[in-house]
Amino acid sequence: MLDVVFAEPSPPEDDQALEDAIRDNGRVILASTLDRVEDPAFSRLMLVEPLPRFRNATLDTGLAMLTPDPDGTIRSFVTRLSGQPTLPSAALAHLQTGPTSIPQGGLVNHLGPPRTIRTISYTQVLDDAHPLPPHILQGKIVLVGRSLAAQPDLAGQADSFRTPFSHDTGLNTSGVELHATILSSLLSGRTGTLAPRWSEVVAAFLLLPCAALLLARMRPLAGFLTSAAMAAGVVGFSYVLFAAFLVWFPALFLSVGVLAAEGFLLLDGYMRTSRERRRIRLAFSRYVSPAVVDMLLARPELLEPGGEEVEATVLFSDLAGFTSFSELMAPGELMTVLSEYFTPMTAIIKENSGTLDKFIGDAIMAFWGAPLRDNLHAPHACRAALGMERALKDLRDQWEAQGVPGLYARIGIHSGKVVAGNVGSREQVNYTCLGDTVNLASRLESVNKLYGTGILVSGETRTLLGSEFILRPVDAIRVKGRAKPVEIFELVGLSEPQPQWAVIYEKGLQAYRTQDFGRAQILFAQVLEQKTKDGPSTVMLDRCRSFALTPPGPEWDAVHVMESK
């Protein structure tokens, strides 16, 4: 088989010698080719065959043409082009005995890098001084053509092609060796085939959705590693399928599809996380300090739906006489006053690491200890209460200068267990806390009305405070709906010397609890001499006078029962 197109005449004696040699051999196949003629007016594909004298003498002709992929690499072959057989298929037709079945094409089963098929220089064949042993060519299929090694110049390299082995060796393979490779594959029946397109579609429909569902349930790192393993598995399956059965299943689409699915999930997760971070920042920046917001963004699991039991301190604040006050003002003016009030109160709560729960009319609910744990929740709440009291005094001076009646706040503080978490409907949730601790804090705010105090804290809160706060024990009460009595204390201020009137009041309270109502009256009266209009002293003095006239029984526990909420 001569991979040379003898389409041009040579000297007559040379052509005659070649014609005689071809005819004498009787089994020579010559090459032909297709030549495209391009013209502005037309384009025509022409068959270029050997000269008639050679064509008549030869056994057959075949196209000496290969079909590279777009990147110039030979991976597949066809046995007919434009209705004409190729050199390997023409040779196979004459080498087979019986009915012939020639595939239309397939994948080239490359045997190795260049010169894997035995290659002999034509100079060795023509060297009479050192002739080749007869067995080297005898009984063999011989292909004659140009080789890259023999033609290092660019013109000679025109009949050389890249193969999959070129990536490692950097060498191209000659066209004649590729024809020999294709013919060898056809003779052995080991021609590679492409997997049918429907198998790719079925694999994509089965693998990609399942991979997406699986990866969606995984954390980012596990999902990335799993997707990489799945992509490698697809490539490995394709390799094994080709190595064992010479069936090439394109793995690029599936492997890229799996990685793309994971990439989409990572991107979607990133976007959802960004949206969640924006939602958390928007939701909590109005209620807690920036430091708490940053912590929540770093640990969003603290805000999972539902609630958890935590130790917390709850604060309720309400403006005394606000209902009557609001009747004297236009709605627009009232909103302005409330805005001027709520703005500094919110800032003070946040500055003291608190969480602003809600505004209820003119009331404020805040708590400490959630969503972030705070071992100093009680001191922080009391500092905030004192700060709110000072800020309201400044506002009161400002309002009075504007002709607006002064407002006073009542604050109740209680510490204990609460359930803190997201509460609400499917459409809207609010981070809040629930429990008996919340209810009692609200009751303590109302108890201020009875005793004429500004800030009342429970005994539970008192045990969590150090010596930095001045607290006056006021009374022991039993609120409606709660059997256990509650010790209540008035939060007077920060670490200052204990006022003398507070010391006297505490002695009067001790006398009251031992039913020494006469001494208690004297002591409470002394408090009123030092601190006129002291609410708790006034209340206790009236109560002592009543008990002096009608003493309580021996079962009396000195606990005042609140008749209303």
Short mmCIF file of all heavy atoms in Angstrom, two decimals, residues 128-181:
data_model
loop_
_atom_site.label_atom_id
_atom_site.label_comp_id
_atom_site.label_asym_id
_atom_site.label_seq_id
_atom_site.Cartn_x
_atom_site.Cartn_y
_atom_site.Cartn_z
N ASP A 128 21.78 -2.49 -1.77
CA ASP A 128 22.20 -3.81 -2.26
C ASP A 128 23.37 -4.37 -1.47
O ASP A 128 23.54 -5.59 -1.37
CB ASP A 128 22.58 -3.73 -3.74
CG ASP A 128 21.37 -3.43 -4.62
OD1 ASP A 128 20.24 -3.78 -4.19
OD2 ASP A 128 21.53 -2.82 -5.70
N ALA A 129 24.19 -3.46 -0.92
CA ALA A 129 25.36 -3.92 -0.17
C ALA A 129 24.94 -4.58 1.14
O ALA A 129 25.62 -5.49 1.63
CB ALA A 129 26.32 -2.76 0.09
N HIS A 130 23.87 -4.09 1.69
CA HIS A 130 23.41 -4.65 2.97
C HIS A 130 21.91 -4.91 2.86
O HIS A 130 21.11 -4.18 3.43
CB HIS A 130 23.69 -3.70 4.13
CG HIS A 130 25.15 -3.33 4.26
ND1 HIS A 130 25.73 -2.29 3.57
CD2 HIS A 130 26.14 -3.92 5.01
CE1 HIS A 130 27.02 -2.22 3.88
NE2 HIS A 130 27.30 -3.21 4.76
N PRO A 131 21.55 -5.92 2.11
CA PRO A 131 20.11 -6.16 1.89
C PRO A 131 19.42 -6.61 3.18
O PRO A 131 20.03 -7.20 4.08
CB PRO A 131 20.12 -7.27 0.85
CG PRO A 131 21.42 -7.98 1.06
CD PRO A 131 22.41 -6.94 1.48
N LEU A 132 18.11 -6.29 3.27
CA LEU A 132 17.30 -6.72 4.41
C LEU A 132 17.06 -8.22 4.33
O LEU A 132 16.90 -8.78 3.23
CB LEU A 132 15.95 -6.00 4.42
CG LEU A 132 15.96 -4.52 4.82
CD1 LEU A 132 14.55 -3.95 4.62
CD2 LEU A 132 16.38 -4.37 6.27
N PRO A 133 17.00 -8.88 5.42
CA PRO A 133 16.63 -10.30 5.40
C PRO A 133 15.23 -10.46 4.81
O PRO A 133 14.34 -9.65 5.08
CB PRO A 133 16.67 -10.71 6.88
CG PRO A 133 17.57 -9.71 7.53
CD PRO A 133 17.37 -8.43 6.79
N PRO A 134 15.00 -11.46 4.01
CA PRO A 134 13.69 -11.60 3.33
C PRO A 134 12.51 -11.68 4.29
O PRO A 134 11.42 -11.19 3.98
CB PRO A 134 13.87 -12.90 2.54
CG PRO A 134 15.35 -13.05 2.37
CD PRO A 134 15.95 -12.48 3.61
N HIS A 135 12.72 -12.29 5.50
CA HIS A 135 11.57 -12.51 6.38
C HIS A 135 11.00 -11.20 6.93
O HIS A 135 9.89 -11.18 7.44
CB HIS A 135 11.98 -13.43 7.54
CG HIS A 135 12.90 -12.75 8.53
ND1 HIS A 135 14.28 -12.72 8.36
CD2 HIS A 135 12.64 -12.08 9.69
CE1 HIS A 135 14.83 -12.06 9.37
NE2 HIS A 135 13.84 -11.67 10.19
N ILE A 136 11.76 -10.12 6.85
CA ILE A 136 11.28 -8.85 7.41
C ILE A 136 10.08 -8.33 6.63
O ILE A 136 9.11 -7.82 7.21
CB ILE A 136 12.41 -7.82 7.45
CG1 ILE A 136 13.47 -8.27 8.48
CG2 ILE A 136 11.88 -6.43 7.81
CD1 ILE A 136 14.64 -7.31 8.59
N LEU A 137 10.09 -8.47 5.30
CA LEU A 137 9.00 -7.97 4.48
C LEU A 137 8.12 -9.09 3.93
O LEU A 137 6.96 -8.83 3.59
CB LEU A 137 9.56 -7.15 3.31
CG LEU A 137 10.36 -5.89 3.67
CD1 LEU A 137 10.86 -5.20 2.41
CD2 LEU A 137 9.51 -4.93 4.50
N GLN A 138 8.65 -10.27 3.85
CA GLN A 138 7.91 -11.35 3.23
C GLN A 138 6.67 -11.72 4.06
O GLN A 138 6.73 -11.90 5.27
CB GLN A 138 8.83 -12.57 3.08
CG GLN A 138 8.25 -13.64 2.14
CD GLN A 138 9.28 -14.73 1.86
OE1 GLN A 138 10.21 -14.93 2.63
NE2 GLN A 138 9.11 -15.41 0.76
N GLY A 139 5.51 -11.77 3.38
CA GLY A 139 4.27 -12.13 4.05
C GLY A 139 3.69 -11.01 4.92
O GLY A 139 2.78 -11.26 5.72
N LYS A 140 4.22 -9.85 4.80
CA LYS A 140 3.78 -8.72 5.61
C LYS A 140 2.96 -7.74 4.78
O LYS A 140 3.04 -7.72 3.55
CB LYS A 140 4.98 -7.97 6.20
CG LYS A 140 5.94 -8.82 7.02
CD LYS A 140 5.29 -9.31 8.30
CE LYS A 140 6.31 -9.87 9.27
NZ LYS A 140 7.13 -10.96 8.73
N ILE A 141 2.15 -6.95 5.48
CA ILE A 141 1.46 -5.82 4.85
C ILE A 141 2.40 -4.63 4.99
O ILE A 141 2.76 -4.22 6.09
CB ILE A 141 0.12 -5.53 5.53
CG1 ILE A 141 -0.81 -6.75 5.44
CG2 ILE A 141 -0.55 -4.31 4.91
CD1 ILE A 141 -2.08 -6.59 6.25
N VAL A 142 2.80 -4.11 3.86
CA VAL A 142 3.80 -3.04 3.85
C VAL A 142 3.14 -1.75 3.39
O VAL A 142 2.46 -1.73 2.35
CB VAL A 142 4.99 -3.39 2.94
CG1 VAL A 142 6.01 -2.26 2.94
CG2 VAL A 142 5.63 -4.70 3.38
N LEU A 143 3.34 -0.70 4.16
CA LEU A 143 2.84 0.62 3.78
C LEU A 143 4.04 1.52 3.52
O LEU A 143 5.01 1.54 4.31
CB LEU A 143 1.98 1.24 4.88
CG LEU A 143 0.60 0.60 5.11
CD1 LEU A 143 0.71 -0.59 6.06
CD2 LEU A 143 -0.38 1.62 5.66
N VAL A 144 4.00 2.22 2.41
CA VAL A 144 5.09 3.09 2.02
C VAL A 144 4.60 4.53 2.05
O VAL A 144 3.56 4.87 1.49
CB VAL A 144 5.60 2.74 0.60
CG1 VAL A 144 6.75 3.66 0.20
CG2 VAL A 144 6.04 1.27 0.55
N GLY A 145 5.36 5.40 2.75
CA GLY A 145 5.00 6.81 2.82
C GLY A 145 6.12 7.60 3.46
O GLY A 145 7.19 7.08 3.77
N ARG A 146 5.84 8.89 3.67
CA ARG A 146 6.84 9.75 4.27
C ARG A 146 6.75 9.70 5.78
O ARG A 146 5.66 9.59 6.35
CB ARG A 146 6.65 11.19 3.79
CG ARG A 146 7.06 11.39 2.33
CD ARG A 146 6.95 12.84 1.94
NE ARG A 146 5.56 13.34 2.04
CZ ARG A 146 5.21 14.57 1.72
NH1 ARG A 146 6.13 15.44 1.33
NH2 ARG A 146 3.94 14.95 1.82
N SER A 147 7.92 9.83 6.43
CA SER A 147 7.98 9.83 7.88
C SER A 147 8.58 11.14 8.36
O SER A 147 9.47 11.70 7.72
CB SER A 147 8.82 8.65 8.38
OG SER A 147 9.01 8.74 9.78
N LEU A 148 8.10 11.64 9.48
CA LEU A 148 8.59 12.90 10.03
C LEU A 148 10.08 12.83 10.33
O LEU A 148 10.81 13.79 10.10
CB LEU A 148 7.83 13.24 11.31
CG LEU A 148 8.27 14.49 12.08
CD1 LEU A 148 8.09 15.74 11.23
CD2 LEU A 148 7.52 14.63 13.39
N ALA A 149 10.54 11.70 10.82
CA ALA A 149 11.95 11.58 11.16
C ALA A 149 12.83 11.72 9.93
O ALA A 149 13.96 12.19 9.99
CB ALA A 149 12.22 10.25 11.85
N ALA A 150 12.31 11.29 8.80
CA ALA A 150 13.09 11.39 7.57
C ALA A 150 12.96 12.74 6.92
O ALA A 150 13.74 13.09 6.05
CB ALA A 150 12.65 10.30 6.60
N GLN A 151 11.96 13.52 7.28
CA GLN A 151 11.70 14.83 6.68
C GLN A 151 11.56 15.86 7.79
O GLN A 151 10.46 16.22 8.20
CB GLN A 151 10.42 14.79 5.84
CG GLN A 151 10.45 13.82 4.69
CD GLN A 151 11.33 14.32 3.56
OE1 GLN A 151 11.68 15.49 3.51
NE2 GLN A 151 11.74 13.42 2.67
N PRO A 152 12.66 16.36 8.35
CA PRO A 152 12.56 17.31 9.45
C PRO A 152 12.12 18.71 9.03
O PRO A 152 11.76 19.52 9.88
CB PRO A 152 13.98 17.33 10.02
CG PRO A 152 14.85 16.99 8.85
CD PRO A 152 14.07 16.02 8.02
N ASP A 153 12.16 19.01 7.75
CA ASP A 153 11.76 20.35 7.32
C ASP A 153 10.24 20.50 7.39
O ASP A 153 9.50 19.52 7.45
CB ASP A 153 12.25 20.61 5.89
CG ASP A 153 11.69 19.59 4.92
OD1 ASP A 153 12.10 18.42 5.01
OD2 ASP A 153 10.81 19.97 4.11
N LEU A 154 9.77 21.77 7.39
CA LEU A 154 8.36 22.04 7.53
C LEU A 154 7.53 21.42 6.43
O LEU A 154 6.42 20.94 6.65
CB LEU A 154 8.13 23.57 7.57
CG LEU A 154 8.69 24.27 8.82
CD1 LEU A 154 8.47 25.77 8.70
CD2 LEU A 154 8.04 23.74 10.08
N ALA A 155 8.06 21.44 5.20
CA ALA A 155 7.30 20.85 4.09
C ALA A 155 7.09 19.37 4.29
O ALA A 155 6.03 18.81 4.01
CB ALA A 155 8.03 21.11 2.76
N GLY A 156 8.12 18.71 4.82
CA GLY A 156 8.00 17.29 5.04
C GLY A 156 7.10 16.93 6.20
O GLY A 156 6.63 15.81 6.30
N GLN A 157 6.85 17.91 7.07
CA GLN A 157 6.01 17.64 8.23
C GLN A 157 4.53 17.74 7.91
O GLN A 157 3.69 17.55 8.79
CB GLN A 157 6.35 18.62 9.36
CG GLN A 157 7.75 18.42 9.91
CD GLN A 157 8.04 19.39 11.04
OE1 GLN A 157 7.13 19.91 11.65
NE2 GLN A 157 9.32 19.61 11.30
N ALA A 158 4.19 18.03 6.66
CA ALA A 158 2.78 18.20 6.32
C ALA A 158 1.99 16.91 6.52
O ALA A 158 0.80 16.95 6.77
CB ALA A 158 2.65 18.67 4.88
N ASP A 159 2.64 15.75 6.40
CA ASP A 159 1.95 14.47 6.53
C ASP A 159 2.22 13.85 7.91
O ASP A 159 2.43 12.65 8.03
CB ASP A 159 2.41 13.52 5.42
CG ASP A 159 1.48 12.31 5.32
OD1 ASP A 159 0.27 12.47 5.62
OD2 ASP A 159 1.95 11.22 4.98
N SER A 160 2.23 14.69 8.95
CA SER A 160 2.39 14.21 10.33
C SER A 160 1.29 14.83 11.18
O SER A 160 0.85 15.95 10.92
CB SER A 160 3.78 14.55 10.89
OG SER A 160 3.94 15.95 10.97
N PHE A 161 0.86 14.10 12.21
CA PHE A 161 -0.33 14.50 12.97
C PHE A 161 -0.11 14.28 14.46
O PHE A 161 0.65 13.40 14.87
CB PHE A 161 -1.55 13.69 12.49
CG PHE A 161 -1.85 13.85 11.03
CD1 PHE A 161 -1.23 13.04 10.08
CD2 PHE A 161 -2.76 14.81 10.61
CE1 PHE A 161 -1.52 13.19 8.74
CE2 PHE A 161 -3.05 14.95 9.26
CZ PHE A 161 -2.43 14.15 8.32
N ARG A 162 -0.84 15.05 15.20
CA ARG A 162 -0.83 14.87 16.65
C ARG A 162 -1.73 13.69 17.02
O ARG A 162 -2.77 13.47 16.41
CB ARG A 162 -1.35 16.13 17.36
CG ARG A 162 -0.41 17.31 17.29
CD ARG A 162 -0.98 18.50 18.04
NE ARG A 162 -1.26 18.19 19.43
CZ ARG A 162 -0.35 18.17 20.40
NH1 ARG A 162 0.91 18.47 20.10
NH2 ARG A 162 -0.69 17.88 21.64
N THR A 163 -1.30 12.97 18.05
CA THR A 163 -2.10 11.87 18.61
C THR A 163 -2.19 12.10 20.12
O THR A 163 -1.52 12.99 20.67
CB THR A 163 -1.44 10.51 18.33
OG1 THR A 163 -0.25 10.39 19.12
CG2 THR A 163 -1.11 10.34 16.85
N PRO A 164 -2.99 11.32 20.83
CA PRO A 164 -3.03 11.48 22.29
C PRO A 164 -1.67 11.32 22.96
O PRO A 164 -1.46 11.84 24.06
CB PRO A 164 -4.01 10.40 22.73
CG PRO A 164 -4.94 10.25 21.56
CD PRO A 164 -4.07 10.44 20.35
N PHE A 165 -0.74 10.61 22.33
CA PHE A 165 0.58 10.44 22.90
C PHE A 165 1.46 11.67 22.71
O PHE A 165 2.50 11.80 23.35
CB PHE A 165 1.28 9.21 22.28
CG PHE A 165 0.68 7.90 22.71
CD1 PHE A 165 -0.25 7.26 21.91
CD2 PHE A 165 1.03 7.32 23.92
CE1 PHE A 165 -0.80 6.06 22.29
CE2 PHE A 165 0.49 6.11 24.31
CZ PHE A 165 -0.44 5.48 23.51
N SER A 166 1.07 12.57 21.82
CA SER A 166 1.89 13.77 21.55
C SER A 166 1.97 14.67 22.77
O SER A 166 2.93 15.42 22.94
CB SER A 166 1.32 14.54 20.36
OG SER A 166 1.31 13.75 19.19
N HIS A 167 0.96 14.62 23.63
CA HIS A 167 0.98 15.48 24.83
C HIS A 167 2.16 15.14 25.72
O HIS A 167 2.77 16.02 26.34
CB HIS A 167 -0.33 15.30 25.60
CG HIS A 167 -0.42 16.15 26.83
ND1 HIS A 167 0.06 15.72 28.05
CD2 HIS A 167 -0.89 17.41 27.02
CE1 HIS A 167 -0.14 16.68 28.96
NE2 HIS A 167 -0.72 17.70 28.35
N ASP A 168 2.52 13.85 25.80
CA ASP A 168 3.63 13.43 26.67
C ASP A 168 4.96 13.44 25.94
O ASP A 168 5.99 13.80 26.52
CB ASP A 168 3.36 12.03 27.23
CG ASP A 168 2.13 12.00 28.14
OD1 ASP A 168 1.89 13.02 28.82
OD2 ASP A 168 1.43 10.99 28.15
N THR A 169 4.96 13.01 24.67
CA THR A 169 6.23 12.87 23.95
C THR A 169 6.62 14.13 23.20
O THR A 169 7.80 14.35 22.89
CB THR A 169 6.14 11.71 22.95
OG1 THR A 169 5.14 12.02 21.95
CG2 THR A 169 5.75 10.42 23.65
N GLY A 170 5.65 14.96 22.85
CA GLY A 170 5.93 16.14 22.04
C GLY A 170 6.18 15.81 20.58
O GLY A 170 6.58 16.68 19.80
N LEU A 171 5.97 14.54 20.17
CA LEU A 171 6.24 14.11 18.80
C LEU A 171 4.94 13.84 18.06
O LEU A 171 3.97 13.36 18.65
CB LEU A 171 7.09 12.83 18.80
CG LEU A 171 8.46 12.92 19.48
CD1 LEU A 171 9.13 11.56 19.49
CD2 LEU A 171 9.35 13.94 18.76
N ASN A 172 4.95 14.14 16.77
CA ASN A 172 3.82 13.80 15.91
C ASN A 172 4.05 12.44 15.26
O ASN A 172 5.18 11.94 15.18
CB ASN A 172 3.62 14.87 14.84
CG ASN A 172 3.13 16.18 15.44
OD1 ASN A 172 2.78 16.23 16.61
ND2 ASN A 172 3.10 17.22 14.63
N THR A 173 2.97 11.87 14.78
CA THR A 173 3.04 10.56 14.12
C THR A 173 2.77 10.75 12.64
O THR A 173 1.88 11.50 12.25
CB THR A 173 2.01 9.60 14.72
OG1 THR A 173 2.27 9.46 16.12
CG2 THR A 173 2.09 8.23 14.06
N SER A 174 3.56 10.03 11.81
CA SER A 174 3.40 10.18 10.36
C SER A 174 2.05 9.62 9.91
O SER A 174 1.48 8.72 10.54
CB SER A 174 4.53 9.45 9.63
OG SER A 174 4.48 8.06 9.90
N GLY A 175 1.56 10.17 8.81
CA GLY A 175 0.28 9.72 8.29
C GLY A 175 0.30 8.26 7.90
O GLY A 175 -0.69 7.54 8.14
N VAL A 176 1.41 7.76 7.34
CA VAL A 176 1.45 6.37 6.91
C VAL A 176 1.38 5.43 8.11
O VAL A 176 0.75 4.36 8.04
CB VAL A 176 2.72 6.11 6.07
CG1 VAL A 176 3.99 6.27 6.89
CG2 VAL A 176 2.68 4.71 5.43
N GLU A 177 1.98 5.81 9.26
CA GLU A 177 1.89 4.97 10.45
C GLU A 177 0.47 4.99 11.01
O GLU A 177 -0.02 3.99 11.54
CB GLU A 177 2.88 5.42 11.51
CG GLU A 177 2.91 4.49 12.73
CD GLU A 177 4.02 4.80 13.72
OE1 GLU A 177 4.81 5.74 13.45
OE2 GLU A 177 4.09 4.11 14.76
N LEU A 178 -0.22 6.13 10.88
CA LEU A 178 -1.60 6.20 11.35
C LEU A 178 -2.49 5.31 10.49
O LEU A 178 -3.39 4.64 11.00
CB LEU A 178 -2.10 7.64 11.33
CG LEU A 178 -1.50 8.56 12.41
CD1 LEU A 178 -1.90 10.00 12.17
CD2 LEU A 178 -1.97 8.10 13.80
N HIS A 179 -2.25 5.27 9.16
CA HIS A 179 -3.01 4.36 8.31
C HIS A 179 -2.75 2.91 8.71
O HIS A 179 -3.66 2.08 8.72
CB HIS A 179 -2.62 4.56 6.83
CG HIS A 179 -3.15 5.84 6.25
ND1 HIS A 179 -4.47 6.18 6.30
CD2 HIS A 179 -2.51 6.85 5.60
CE1 HIS A 179 -4.64 7.36 5.69
NE2 HIS A 179 -3.46 7.79 5.26
N ALA A 180 -1.50 2.61 9.06
CA ALA A 180 -1.16 1.26 9.50
C ALA A 180 -1.88 0.94 10.83
O ALA A 180 -2.37 -0.19 11.02
CB ALA A 180 0.36 1.13 9.67
N THR A 181 -1.94 1.93 11.72
CA THR A 181 -2.64 1.73 13.00
C THR A 181 -4.12 1.45 12.77
O THR A 181 -4.71 0.54 13.39
CB THR A 181 -2.47 2.97 13.89
OG1 THR A 181 -1.07 3.21 14.12
CG2 THR A 181 -3.18 2.78 15.22
#
